[in-house]
Amino acid sequence: MGRFKLGSTVINLFTANSVHFEPRLNNGTVTRMGEAFAEAATARDAAEAPQT
């Protein structure tokens, strides 16, 4: 993560089932620096996730 100005785009890549995004987020939702947008999944969550 970094500090960006003028509406820069940040692309975050995660492995499958490794994070749970905040339910309040939708396409186009503005987030601010330091604001949580996801939390790491636990090993138990990953084990219970459907395989694709």
Side-chain angles (χ1 to χ4, degrees), residues 10-29:
V10 177
I11 299 172
N12 297 285
L13 303 175
F14 305 98
T15 59
N17 304 315
S18 65
V19 296
H20 297 290
F21 290 99
E22 293 289 329
R24 64 177 171 73
L25 296 177
N26 294 306
N27 289 337
T29 300

Side-chain angles (χ1 to χ4, degrees), residues 23-43:
R24 64 177 171 73
L25 296 177
N26 294 306
N27 289 337
T29 300
V30 175
T31 56
R32 304 283 182 215
M33 187 170 124
E35 183 179 0
F37 63 89
E39 66 179 32
T42 64

